[in-house]
Amino acid sequence: MKKLLTNLTFWVLTAITAGILLGHFAPEIALYKFFENPIKFKLLGNEVSIGNTLSEFLSGIFISIVKQFINPIIFLTITLGIVSMGDLKKVGKLGGKALLYFEIVTTIALLVGIIVANVIRPGDGVVTDAIKGGDISKYTKGASEFSWMKFFWDNSTLQVLLLAIILGSVLNYVSGKDKIIEIFQKISKYIFAGLHGVMKLAPVGAFGGMAFTIAKYGLKTLIPLAKLMVTVYITMGVFVFVVLFFILRHYKVNLWRFLKYIKEELLIVLGTSSSEAGLPSLMEKLERMGCAKSVVGLVVPAGYSFNLDGTTIYLSMATIFLAQVFNVHLSLEQIFTIIGILMVTSKGAAGVTGSGFIVLASTLTAVHVIPVEGLALLLGVDRFMSEARAITNFIGNGVATIFLANNEKEFDHEKMRKAFDQEGILS
C-alpha cells in the first residue's frame, strides 16, 4: 500500500479520473473564475499562459513552471554534449541526419493520415449545420501572418539550441574550459533536482487540464464528430505501434518496454495536453537509458519543433475530413499538392499560438478548393484530439533520439537494460 501511495503514476491516473468526474458532474466548479482575465507574459523566453478559471489555473501553473526548466536544460545538455563530443564535424553530421530523419518520418505520418482518412472516410454524412458561432478569424489571420523568421523569433527553444551549439563549439577552443564545464555540471545537477521536485505537482496539472477540457466542451460535443475522433486515435495508434515499432526494432529496442519506461511522462502529457510538460523529464530518462547527452540535447529540442508526427497526422486527416464534409473530390494532383504544402507548413506548427488551426487554415487557403469556414466544425473537438497529438509527438521524439543515438553508435544497450529493469522493479 505504501508503495502505491508513493507512486507518481498512481496519483496522475487518480487526478485524471477526478478531473473527468469534476468536469462532467460539476462544470461550474471547474470553470469558476479566479480572475477577470487570463494571465499572459514572457519569462526566460517562454510564454507563460495561466487561465482565469480554477481548472485552467491549476493546469497552467504546473505547465508554466515546467516550461521554465526546458531552456536551461537544453542549453546545458547540448553545450556539455558538444564539449564532450569534441569533433564539430560530428555535430554537423548528427544535425543533418536528424533533419533527414524528421522529414522522412513526418512524411510517412502524412501519408498514413491521408490513406486512413480516405479508407474510413470520417467526413461522410457530417451535417454542416454545425458551422455556427465558431470564431475562426484569429486562425485565418494567423495563417496569413505566418513567416519562417517569425517562427524562429517566437520559438525560444530553437534560439537556445542555436546559442548552445555556438557556445559548445567555442568552448572546444578555450584553454580553461574544464572549470567552465565543472560549473555547468553543478548547475545542471541543481536544475534536475529542482525538476524532480516540480514533477511531484504533476497530478495537480493533470487534474486541472482534464477538468477544464470536460467542463468546457463536455462529452456530448464528441458525438457528432465521434467518427473523426476514433479515426484520428486509431491512425495515431497505427503509426506508433507499426511505424515507430519497426524503427526501434531495427536497433533491437523494445517499443513496449520504452513506453512503460516513460509511462509517467505519457500520463502527464495526456492530462495536460502538452508535450512540453514532459519534455525535460524525457531528456533525463533518455540519457539514463543509454542515449549520449550530446544526442539527446540536439535531437529532442530540434524534434520538438520539426518532428511533430502527431500534429502532421492530424493536419492531413483534418484536411481530407473537411473535403469529405463538403463533398469536394480531390484529384491525385490536389492530394499531392496538400502533401507538399503540409510537408513545409507543419514544420512551423510548434512556434505559433493555435498552431494546428493556423497551419490547417494556411493549407486550406493554399489549396483553394476546401472552404476554410469548415475549421469551425473542428473547434469543439480539437481539445480532445490534442491529447493524441501531444502523446504521438512525444513518443516520436523519444524514438527519434534512440534511433539516431544508435545510428551514431552513441547508445549503451547495457544502460538501457538496467533502466528498463529498474523501472519494472519500481512499478
Side-chain angles (χ1 to χ4, degrees):
M1 186 67 180
K2 185 180 178 183
K3 185 181 175 183
L4 185 67
L5 293 176
T6 56
N7 188 299
L8 183 61
T9 305
F10 167 75
W11 287 112
V12 173
L13 271 173
T14 302
I16 289 172
T17 306
I20 292 171
L21 293 173
L22 179 70
H24 183 65
F25 293 107
E28 66 282 355
I29 296 175
L31 297 178
Y32 175 78
K33 285 193 176 182
F34 266 177
F35 320 107
E36 188 61 35
N37 297 304
I39 303 167
K40 287 188 178 182
F41 60 91
K42 278 211 168 187
L43 181 64
L44 298 176
N46 287 302
E47 185 177 293
V48 175
S49 180
I50 302 171
N52 56 343
T53 64
L54 171 65
S55 51
E56 283 180 295
F57 179 80
L58 294 174
S59 178
I61 283 287
F62 172 70
I63 294 174
S64 296
I65 293 173
V66 172
K67 281 174 77 171
Q68 304 318 309
F69 285 86
I70 292 175
N71 286 344
I73 286 174
I74 288 170
F75 176 77
L76 291 165
T77 303
I78 193 61
T79 304
L80 290 169
I82 289 176
V83 172
S84 64
M85 196 183 284
D87 186 358
L88 298 184
K89 284 184 180 177
K90 203 172 178 182
V91 177
K93 184 183 168 189
L94 175 61
K97 280 185 180 179
L99 291 175
L100 180 62
Y101 172 95
F102 297 158
E103 193 58 57
I104 291 171
V105 176
T106 51
T107 301
I108 292 171
L110 259 177
L111 294 171
V112 168
I114 286 174
I115 291 167
V116 175
N118 275 297
V119 170
I120 298 180
R121 301 191 62 81
D124 288 352
V126 174
V127 182
T128 53
D129 289 350
I131 307 176
K132 290 187 288 188
D135 182 16
I136 61 166
S137 60
K138 60 181 176 180
Y139 304 115
T140 51
K141 182 185 175 187
S144 63
E145 290 178 350
F146 177 79
S147 71
W148 284 102
M149 185 59 72
K150 186 176 186 299
F151 166 58
F152 180 78
W153 191 253
D154 290 344
N155 195 321
S156 62
T157 304
L158 279 183
Q159 294 168 24
V160 171
L161 176 63
L162 182 62
L163 177 63
I165 290 171
I166 293 169
L167 181 61
S169 304
V170 170
L171 282 177
N172 275 300
Y173 300 101
V174 175
S175 56
K177 68 177 182 181
D178 290 344
K179 195 167 185 180
I180 299 171
I181 291 170
E182 190 181 336
I183 293 169
F184 278 7
Q185 285 173 335
K186 280 184 179 177
I187 295 171
S188 180
K189 184 181 175 182
Y190 287 122
I191 285 176
F192 275 112
L195 176 64
H196 290 154
V198 170
M199 292 311 288
K200 291 176 182 175
L201 297 173
V204 176
F207 170 78
M210 197 56 73
F212 172 75
T213 301
I214 302 299
K216 184 171 175 64
Y217 300 105
L219 296 174
K220 64 181 181 294
T221 61
L222 305 181
I223 297 169
L225 299 178
K227 194 176 177 182
L228 173 64
M229 285 265 309
V230 171
T231 305
V232 167
Y233 273 81
I234 288 173
T235 308
M236 303 230 184
V238 168
F239 179 79
V240 170
F241 294 110
V242 177
V243 177
L244 297 185
F245 170 82
F246 281 107
I247 287 174
L248 283 189
R249 191 180 177 187
H250 180 71
Y251 285 114
K252 296 181 173 60
V253 178
N254 188 299
L255 175 67
W256 290 100
R257 294 200 73 184
F258 172 63
L259 294 180
K260 188 180 178 185
Y261 177 61
I262 60 167
K263 63 181 181 298
E264 287 177 357
E265 288 72 24
L266 290 175
L267 285 171
I268 292 164
V269 171
L270 172 68
T272 59
S273 293
S274 169
S275 56
E276 289 176 325
L279 197 66
S281 187
L282 174 68
M283 293 176 73
E284 186 182 19
K285 281 198 169 182
L286 286 168
E287 278 187 54
R288 199 188 307 155
M289 71 172 279
C291 296
K293 184 186 282 286
S294 54
V295 178
V296 174
L298 185 63
V299 177
V300 174
Y304 171 69
S305 296
F306 296 108
N307 188 40
L308 306 171
D309 300 328
T311 303
T312 304
I313 289 171
Y314 170 73
L315 291 171
S316 62
M317 295 192 77
T319 305
I320 301 300
F321 167 78
L322 291 176
Q324 293 164 359
V325 167
F326 291 104
N327 293 312
V328 175
H329 175 72
L330 295 172
S331 66
L332 201 58
E333 183 184 344
Q334 287 170 325
I335 289 174
F336 279 120
T337 302
I338 289 168
I339 291 171
I341 293 168
L342 285 175
M343 280 173 67
V344 178
T345 55
S346 62
K347 300 300 180 292
V352 190
T353 305
S355 56
F357 274 106
I358 291 173
V359 172
L360 189 54
S362 64
T363 304
L364 298 180
T365 305
V367 175
H368 288 303
V369 292
I370 304 169
V372 74
E373 291 77 19
L375 284 176
L377 264 176
L378 302 171
L379 289 173
V381 294
D382 182 68
R383 177 80 184 195
F384 291 99
M385 288 189 282
S386 68
E387 280 93 352
R389 288 200 302 266
I391 286 175
T392 307
N393 289 340
F394 191 76
I395 296 170
N397 280 323
V399 170
T401 308
I402 295 168
F403 179 87
L404 289 163
N406 274 283
N407 189 263
E408 288 289 294
K409 295 181 172 53
E410 295 279 356
F411 188 82
D412 188 332
H413 279 266
E414 188 55 39
K415 282 181 76 174
M416 177 190 74
R417 279 188 286 272
K418 284 181 181 176
F420 284 179
D421 291 342
Q422 183 69 16
E423 192 65 26
I425 292 167
L426 295 174
S427 295

Coordinates of all heavy atoms in Angstrom, one line a residue, residues 75-151:
F75 N 20.0 24.1 -22.9 CA 21.2 24.9 -23.0 C 22.4 24.1 -22.4 O 23.5 23.9 -23.1 CB 21.1 26.2 -22.4 CG 22.4 27.0 -22.3 CD1 22.8 27.7 -23.5 CD2 23.1 27.1 -21.2 CE1 24.0 28.5 -23.5 CE2 24.3 27.9 -21.2 CZ 24.7 28.5 -22.3
L76 N 22.2 23.6 -21.2 CA 23.3 22.9 -20.5 C 23.6 21.6 -21.1 O 24.8 21.2 -21.3 CB 22.9 22.7 -19.0 CG 22.9 24.0 -18.2 CD1 22.1 23.8 -16.9 CD2 24.3 24.5 -17.9
T77 N 22.5 20.8 -21.5 CA 22.7 19.5 -22.1 C 23.5 19.6 -23.4 O 24.5 18.8 -23.6 CB 21.4 18.8 -22.3 OG1 20.6 18.8 -21.1 CG2 21.5 17.4 -22.9
I78 N 23.1 20.4 -24.3 CA 23.7 20.5 -25.6 C 25.1 21.1 -25.5 O 26.1 20.7 -26.2 CB 22.9 21.3 -26.7 CG1 23.4 21.1 -28.1 CG2 22.8 22.7 -26.4 CD1 23.4 19.6 -28.5
T79 N 25.3 22.1 -24.7 CA 26.7 22.7 -24.5 C 27.6 21.7 -24.0 O 28.7 21.5 -24.5 CB 26.6 23.9 -23.6 OG1 25.7 24.9 -24.0 CG2 28.0 24.6 -23.4
L80 N 27.3 21.0 -22.9 CA 28.1 20.0 -22.3 C 28.3 18.8 -23.3 O 29.4 18.2 -23.4 CB 27.5 19.5 -21.0 CG 27.6 20.4 -19.8 CD1 26.7 19.9 -18.7 CD2 29.0 20.7 -19.4
G81 N 27.3 18.5 -24.0 CA 27.4 17.4 -25.0 C 28.4 17.7 -26.1 O 29.2 16.8 -26.5
I82 N 28.3 18.9 -26.7 CA 29.2 19.2 -27.8 C 30.7 19.3 -27.3 O 31.6 18.9 -27.9 CB 28.8 20.6 -28.4 CG1 27.5 20.4 -29.2 CG2 29.9 21.1 -29.3 CD1 26.9 21.6 -29.8
V83 N 30.9 19.9 -26.0 CA 32.2 19.9 -25.5 C 32.8 18.5 -25.3 O 33.9 18.2 -25.6 CB 32.2 20.7 -24.1 CG1 33.6 20.6 -23.4 CG2 31.9 22.1 -24.3
S84 N 31.9 17.6 -24.8 CA 32.4 16.2 -24.6 C 32.6 15.5 -25.9 O 33.4 14.6 -26.0 CB 31.4 15.4 -23.7 OG 30.2 15.3 -24.4
M85 N 31.8 15.9 -26.9 CA 32.0 15.2 -28.2 C 33.3 15.7 -28.9 O 33.9 14.9 -29.6 CB 30.8 15.6 -29.1 CG 30.6 14.8 -30.4 SD 29.2 15.3 -31.4 CE 27.8 14.8 -30.5
G86 N 33.6 16.9 -28.8 CA 34.9 17.4 -29.3 C 34.9 17.7 -30.8 O 35.3 18.7 -31.2
D87 N 34.5 16.7 -31.5 CA 34.6 16.8 -33.0 C 33.4 17.6 -33.6 O 32.2 17.1 -33.5 CB 34.6 15.4 -33.6 CG 34.8 15.4 -35.1 OD1 34.9 16.5 -35.7 OD2 34.9 14.3 -35.7
L88 N 33.6 18.8 -34.1 CA 32.5 19.6 -34.5 C 31.9 19.0 -35.8 O 30.7 19.3 -36.1 CB 33.0 21.0 -34.8 CG 33.5 21.8 -33.5 CD1 33.8 23.2 -33.8 CD2 32.4 21.7 -32.4
K89 N 32.7 18.3 -36.6 CA 32.1 17.7 -37.8 C 31.0 16.7 -37.4 O 30.1 16.5 -38.1 CB 33.2 17.0 -38.6 CG 34.2 17.9 -39.3 CD 35.2 17.1 -40.2 CE 36.1 18.1 -40.9 NZ 37.1 17.3 -41.7
K90 N 31.3 16.0 -36.3 CA 30.3 15.0 -35.8 C 29.0 15.7 -35.4 O 27.9 15.1 -35.6 CB 30.9 14.3 -34.5 CG 30.3 13.0 -34.2 CD 31.1 12.3 -33.1 CE 30.5 11.0 -32.8 NZ 31.2 10.3 -31.7
V91 N 29.1 16.9 -34.9 CA 27.9 17.7 -34.5 C 27.1 18.0 -35.8 O 25.8 17.8 -35.8 CB 28.2 19.0 -33.8 CG1 27.0 19.8 -33.5 CG2 29.0 18.7 -32.5
G92 N 27.8 18.5 -36.8 CA 27.1 18.8 -38.1 C 26.5 17.6 -38.7 O 25.4 17.7 -39.3
K93 N 27.2 16.5 -38.7 CA 26.7 15.2 -39.2 C 25.4 14.8 -38.5 O 24.5 14.4 -39.2 CB 27.8 14.2 -39.1 CG 27.5 12.8 -39.8 CD 28.6 11.9 -39.5 CE 28.2 10.4 -39.9 NZ 29.2 9.5 -39.4
L94 N 25.4 14.8 -37.2 CA 24.3 14.4 -36.4 C 23.1 15.3 -36.7 O 21.9 14.9 -36.9 CB 24.6 14.5 -34.9 CG 23.4 14.2 -34.0 CD1 22.8 12.8 -34.2 CD2 23.8 14.4 -32.5
G95 N 23.3 16.7 -36.8 CA 22.3 17.6 -37.2 C 21.6 17.3 -38.5 O 20.4 17.3 -38.7
G96 N 22.5 17.0 -39.5 CA 22.0 16.7 -40.8 C 21.2 15.4 -40.8 O 20.1 15.3 -41.5
K97 N 21.6 14.4 -40.1 CA 20.9 13.1 -40.0 C 19.6 13.3 -39.3 O 18.6 12.7 -39.7 CB 21.7 12.1 -39.2 CG 22.8 11.4 -40.0 CD 23.5 10.3 -39.2 CE 24.6 9.6 -40.0 NZ 25.2 8.6 -39.1
A98 N 19.6 14.2 -38.3 CA 18.3 14.4 -37.5 C 17.3 15.1 -38.5 O 16.1 14.6 -38.5 CB 18.6 15.3 -36.3
L99 N 17.7 16.1 -39.2 CA 16.7 16.8 -40.1 C 16.2 15.8 -41.2 O 15.0 15.9 -41.6 CB 17.4 18.0 -40.7 CG 17.7 19.1 -39.8 CD1 18.4 20.3 -40.5 CD2 16.4 19.7 -39.2
L100 N 17.1 15.0 -41.7 CA 16.7 14.0 -42.7 C 15.7 13.0 -42.1 O 14.6 12.7 -42.7 CB 17.9 13.2 -43.3 CG 17.6 12.2 -44.3 CD1 17.0 12.8 -45.6 CD2 18.9 11.4 -44.7
Y101 N 16.0 12.5 -40.9 CA 15.1 11.6 -40.2 C 13.7 12.2 -40.0 O 12.7 11.6 -40.3 CB 15.7 11.2 -38.9 CG 14.7 10.3 -38.0 CD1 14.8 9.0 -38.1 CD2 13.8 11.0 -37.2 CE1 13.9 8.2 -37.3 CE2 12.9 10.2 -36.4 CZ 13.0 8.8 -36.5 OH 12.1 8.1 -35.7
F102 N 13.7 13.5 -39.5 CA 12.4 14.2 -39.3 C 11.6 14.3 -40.5 O 10.4 14.0 -40.5 CB 12.7 15.6 -38.7 CG 13.4 15.6 -37.4 CD1 14.1 16.8 -37.0 CD2 13.4 14.6 -36.5 CE1 14.8 16.8 -35.8 CE2 14.0 14.6 -35.3 CZ 14.7 15.8 -34.9
E103 N 12.2 14.6 -41.6 CA 11.5 14.8 -42.9 C 10.9 13.5 -43.4 O 9.7 13.4 -43.8 CB 12.4 15.4 -44.0 CG 11.7 15.9 -45.2 CD 10.6 17.0 -44.8 OE1 11.0 18.0 -44.2 OE2 9.4 16.8 -45.2
I104 N 11.7 12.4 -43.3 CA 11.2 11.1 -43.8 C 10.1 10.6 -42.9 O 9.0 10.2 -43.5 CB 12.4 10.1 -43.8 CG1 13.4 10.5 -44.9 CG2 11.8 8.7 -44.0 CD1 14.7 9.6 -44.8
V105 N 10.2 10.7 -41.6 CA 9.2 10.1 -40.7 C 7.9 10.9 -40.7 O 6.8 10.4 -40.7 CB 9.8 9.9 -39.3 CG1 8.7 9.4 -38.3 CG2 10.9 8.9 -39.3
T106 N 8.0 12.3 -40.7 CA 6.8 13.1 -40.8 C 6.1 12.9 -42.1 O 4.9 13.0 -42.2 CB 7.1 14.6 -40.5 OG1 8.2 15.0 -41.4 CG2 7.5 14.8 -39.1
T107 N 6.8 12.7 -43.2 CA 6.2 12.4 -44.5 C 5.4 11.1 -44.5 O 4.3 11.0 -45.0 CB 7.3 12.4 -45.6 OG1 7.9 13.6 -45.7 CG2 6.6 12.2 -47.0
I108 N 6.0 10.1 -43.8 CA 5.3 8.8 -43.6 C 4.0 9.1 -42.8 O 3.0 8.5 -43.1 CB 6.2 7.8 -42.9 CG1 7.4 7.4 -43.8 CG2 5.4 6.5 -42.5 CD1 8.4 6.5 -43.1
A109 N 4.1 9.9 -41.8 CA 3.0 10.2 -40.9 C 1.9 10.9 -41.8 O 0.7 10.6 -41.6 CB 3.4 11.1 -39.8
L110 N 2.3 11.8 -42.7 CA 1.4 12.5 -43.6 C 0.6 11.4 -44.4 O -0.6 11.5 -44.6 CB 2.1 13.4 -44.5 CG 2.1 14.9 -44.2 CD1 3.0 15.6 -45.2 CD2 0.7 15.5 -44.2
L111 N 1.4 10.5 -45.0 CA 0.8 9.5 -45.9 C -0.1 8.6 -45.2 O -1.2 8.3 -45.7 CB 1.9 8.7 -46.6 CG 2.8 9.5 -47.6 CD1 4.0 8.7 -48.0 CD2 2.0 10.0 -48.8
V112 N 0.2 8.2 -44.0 CA -0.6 7.3 -43.2 C -1.9 8.0 -42.9 O -3.0 7.4 -43.0 CB 0.1 7.0 -41.8 CG1 -0.9 6.3 -40.9 CG2 1.3 6.0 -42.1
G113 N -1.9 9.3 -42.5 CA -3.1 10.1 -42.2 C -4.0 10.2 -43.4 O -5.2 10.0 -43.3
I114 N -3.5 10.5 -44.6 CA -4.3 10.6 -45.8 C -4.9 9.3 -46.2 O -6.0 9.3 -46.6 CB -3.4 11.3 -46.9 CG1 -3.2 12.7 -46.6 CG2 -4.0 11.1 -48.3 CD1 -2.2 13.4 -47.5
I115 N -4.1 8.2 -46.2 CA -4.6 6.9 -46.6 C -5.7 6.5 -45.7 O -6.8 6.1 -46.2 CB -3.4 5.9 -46.6 CG1 -2.5 6.2 -47.7 CG2 -4.0 4.5 -46.7 CD1 -1.1 5.4 -47.6
V116 N -5.6 6.6 -44.3 CA -6.6 6.1 -43.4 C -7.9 7.0 -43.6 O -9.0 6.4 -43.6 CB -6.1 6.1 -42.0 CG1 -7.2 5.8 -41.0 CG2 -5.0 5.1 -41.8
A117 N -7.7 8.3 -43.7 CA -8.9 9.2 -43.9 C -9.6 8.9 -45.1 O -10.9 8.9 -45.2 CB -8.4 10.6 -43.9
N118 N -8.9 8.4 -46.2 CA -9.6 8.1 -47.4 C -10.3 6.7 -47.4 O -11.3 6.5 -48.1 CB -8.6 8.2 -48.6 CG -8.5 9.6 -49.2 OD1 -9.4 10.1 -49.7 ND2 -7.3 10.1 -49.0
V119 N -9.7 5.8 -46.5 CA -10.3 4.5 -46.4 C -11.6 4.5 -45.5 O -12.6 4.0 -45.8 CB -9.3 3.5 -45.8 CG1 -9.9 2.2 -45.5 CG2 -8.2 3.3 -46.9
I120 N -11.4 5.2 -44.3 CA -12.5 5.2 -43.3 C -13.6 6.3 -43.7 O -14.8 6.1 -43.4 CB -12.0 5.4 -41.9 CG1 -11.1 4.2 -41.5 CG2 -13.1 5.5 -40.9 CD1 -10.5 4.3 -40.1
R121 N -13.1 7.4 -44.3 CA -14.0 8.5 -44.7 C -14.8 9.0 -43.6 O -16.1 8.9 -43.6 CB -14.9 8.1 -45.9 CG -14.1 7.6 -47.1 CD -15.0 7.5 -48.4 NE -15.6 8.8 -48.8 CZ -14.9 9.7 -49.5 NH1 -13.7 9.5 -49.9 NH2 -15.5 10.8 -49.8
P122 N -14.2 9.6 -42.5 CA -14.9 10.1 -41.4 C -15.8 11.3 -41.6 O -16.7 11.6 -40.9 CB -13.8 10.5 -40.4 CG -12.6 10.7 -41.2 CD -12.7 9.8 -42.4
G123 N -15.6 12.0 -42.8 CA -16.4 13.2 -43.1 C -17.7 12.9 -43.8 O -18.5 13.8 -43.8
D124 N -17.9 11.7 -44.3 CA -19.2 11.4 -45.0 C -20.3 11.5 -44.0 O -20.3 10.9 -42.9 CB -19.1 10.0 -45.6 CG -18.2 10.0 -46.8 OD1 -17.7 11.0 -47.2 OD2 -17.9 8.8 -47.3
G125 N -21.4 12.2 -44.4 CA -22.6 12.3 -43.6 C -22.6 13.3 -42.5 O -23.6 13.5 -41.8
V126 N -21.5 14.1 -42.3 CA -21.4 15.1 -41.3 C -22.2 16.3 -41.8 O -22.0 16.8 -42.9 CB -20.0 15.5 -41.0 CG1 -20.0 16.7 -40.0 CG2 -19.2 14.4 -40.4
V127 N -23.2 16.8 -40.9 CA -24.0 17.9 -41.3 C -23.3 19.2 -41.0 O -22.7 19.5 -40.0 CB -25.3 17.9 -40.4 CG1 -26.2 19.0 -40.8 CG2 -26.0 16.6 -40.6
T128 N -23.3 20.1 -42.1 CA -22.5 21.3 -42.0 C -23.3 22.4 -41.2 O -22.8 23.5 -41.0 CB -22.2 21.9 -43.4 OG1 -23.4 22.0 -44.1 CG2 -21.2 21.0 -44.1
D129 N -24.5 22.0 -40.7 CA -25.2 23.0 -39.8 C -24.4 23.3 -38.6 O -24.6 24.3 -37.9 CB -26.5 22.4 -39.4 CG -27.5 22.3 -40.6 OD1 -27.2 22.9 -41.6 OD2 -28.6 21.7 -40.4
A130 N -23.4 22.4 -38.2 CA -22.6 22.6 -37.0 C -21.7 23.8 -37.2 O -21.1 24.3 -36.2 CB -21.8 21.4 -36.8
I131 N -21.6 24.4 -38.4 CA -20.7 25.5 -38.6 C -21.5 26.8 -38.2 O -22.0 27.5 -39.0 CB -20.2 25.6 -40.1 CG1 -19.6 24.3 -40.5 CG2 -19.2 26.8 -40.2 CD1 -19.1 24.3 -41.9
K132 N -21.6 27.0 -36.9 CA -22.3 28.2 -36.4 C -21.6 28.7 -35.2 O -21.3 27.9 -34.3 CB -23.8 27.8 -36.0 CG -24.7 27.5 -37.2 CD -26.1 27.3 -36.7 CE -26.3 26.0 -36.0 NZ -27.7 25.7 -35.7
G133 N -21.3 29.9 -35.2 CA -20.8 30.6 -34.0 C -19.3 30.3 -33.7 O -18.8 30.6 -32.7
G134 N -18.7 29.6 -34.6 CA -17.3 29.3 -34.4 C -16.4 30.4 -34.9 O -16.4 30.7 -36.1
D135 N -15.7 31.1 -34.1 CA -14.8 32.2 -34.5 C -13.5 31.7 -35.0 O -12.6 31.2 -34.2 CB -14.6 33.1 -33.3 CG -13.7 34.3 -33.7 OD1 -13.6 34.6 -34.9 OD2 -13.2 35.0 -32.8
I136 N -13.3 31.7 -36.3 CA -12.1 31.2 -36.9 C -11.2 32.3 -37.4 O -10.1 32.1 -38.0 CB -12.4 30.2 -38.1 CG1 -13.1 30.9 -39.2 CG2 -13.1 29.0 -37.6 CD1 -13.2 30.1 -40.5
S137 N -11.6 33.6 -37.2 CA -10.9 34.7 -37.7 C -9.4 34.8 -37.2 O -8.5 35.1 -38.0 CB -11.6 36.0 -37.4 OG -11.7 36.2 -36.0
K138 N -9.2 34.4 -36.0 CA -7.8 34.5 -35.4 C -6.9 33.5 -36.1 O -5.7 33.7 -36.1 CB -7.8 34.3 -33.9 CG -8.4 33.0 -33.4 CD -8.4 33.0 -31.9 CE -9.0 31.7 -31.3 NZ -9.0 31.6 -29.9
Y139 N -7.5 32.4 -36.5 CA -6.7 31.3 -37.2 C -6.4 31.7 -38.6 O -5.2 31.5 -39.1 CB -7.4 30.0 -37.1 CG -7.8 29.6 -35.7 CD1 -9.1 29.5 -35.3 CD2 -6.8 29.3 -34.8 CE1 -9.4 29.1 -34.0 CE2 -7.1 29.0 -33.5 CZ -8.4 28.9 -33.1 OH -8.7 28.6 -31.8
T140 N -7.4 32.2 -39.3 CA -7.1 32.6 -40.7 C -6.2 33.8 -40.8 O -5.3 33.9 -41.7 CB -8.4 33.0 -41.5 OG1 -9.2 33.9 -40.6 CG2 -9.3 31.7 -41.6
K141 N -6.3 34.7 -39.8 CA -5.4 35.9 -39.7 C -4.0 35.4 -39.4 O -3.0 35.8 -40.0 CB -5.9 36.8 -38.6 CG -5.0 38.1 -38.5 CD -5.4 38.9 -37.3 CE -4.5 40.1 -37.1 NZ -4.8 40.9 -35.9
G142 N -3.9 34.5 -38.5 CA -2.6 33.9 -38.1 C -1.9 33.2 -39.3 O -0.7 33.3 -39.4
A143 N -2.7 32.6 -40.1 CA -2.1 31.9 -41.3 C -1.6 32.9 -42.3 O -0.5 32.6 -42.8 CB -3.2 31.0 -42.0
S144 N -2.2 34.0 -42.4 CA -1.7 35.0 -43.4 C -0.5 35.7 -42.9 O 0.3 36.2 -43.6 CB -2.8 36.0 -43.7 OG -3.2 36.7 -42.5
E145 N -0.3 35.7 -41.5 CA 0.8 36.4 -40.9 C 2.0 35.5 -40.7 O 3.1 36.0 -40.4 CB 0.4 37.0 -39.6 CG -0.6 38.2 -39.7 CD -1.0 38.7 -38.3 OE1 -0.6 38.0 -37.3 OE2 -1.6 39.7 -38.2
F146 N 1.9 34.2 -41.0 CA 3.0 33.3 -40.7 C 4.2 33.6 -41.6 O 4.1 33.8 -42.8 CB 2.5 31.9 -40.9 CG 3.7 30.9 -40.7 CD1 4.0 30.5 -39.4 CD2 4.3 30.3 -41.7 CE1 5.1 29.6 -39.2 CE2 5.4 29.4 -41.5 CZ 5.7 29.1 -40.3
S147 N 5.4 33.5 -40.9 CA 6.6 33.6 -41.7 C 7.7 32.8 -40.9 O 7.6 32.6 -39.7 CB 7.1 35.1 -41.8 OG 7.6 35.6 -40.6
W148 N 8.7 32.3 -41.7 CA 9.7 31.5 -41.0 C 10.6 32.3 -40.1 O 11.0 31.8 -39.0 CB 10.6 30.8 -42.1 CG 9.9 29.7 -42.7 CD1 9.3 29.6 -43.9 CD2 9.7 28.4 -42.1 NE1 8.7 28.4 -44.1 CE2 8.9 27.6 -43.0 CE3 10.0 27.8 -40.9 CZ2 8.6 26.3 -42.8 CZ3 9.6 26.5 -40.6 CH2 8.9 25.8 -41.6
M149 N 10.8 33.6 -40.4 CA 11.5 34.5 -39.5 C 10.8 34.7 -38.2 O 11.3 34.6 -37.1 CB 11.7 35.9 -40.2 CG 12.6 36.8 -39.3 SD 14.3 36.1 -39.0 CE 15.0 36.3 -40.7
K150 N 9.4 34.8 -38.3 CA 8.6 35.0 -37.1 C 8.6 33.7 -36.3 O 8.6 33.7 -35.0 CB 7.2 35.4 -37.5 CG 6.3 35.7 -36.3 CD 4.9 36.1 -36.8 CE 4.0 36.6 -35.6 NZ 3.7 35.6 -34.6
F151 N 8.6 32.6 -37.0 CA 8.6 31.2 -36.4 C 9.9 31.1 -35.5 O 9.8 30.7 -34.4 CB 8.6 30.2 -37.4 CG 9.0 28.8 -37.0 CD1 8.3 28.2 -35.9 CD2 10.0 28.1 -37.6 CE1 8.6 26.9 -35.5 CE2 10.3 26.8 -37.1 CZ 9.6 26.2 -36.1

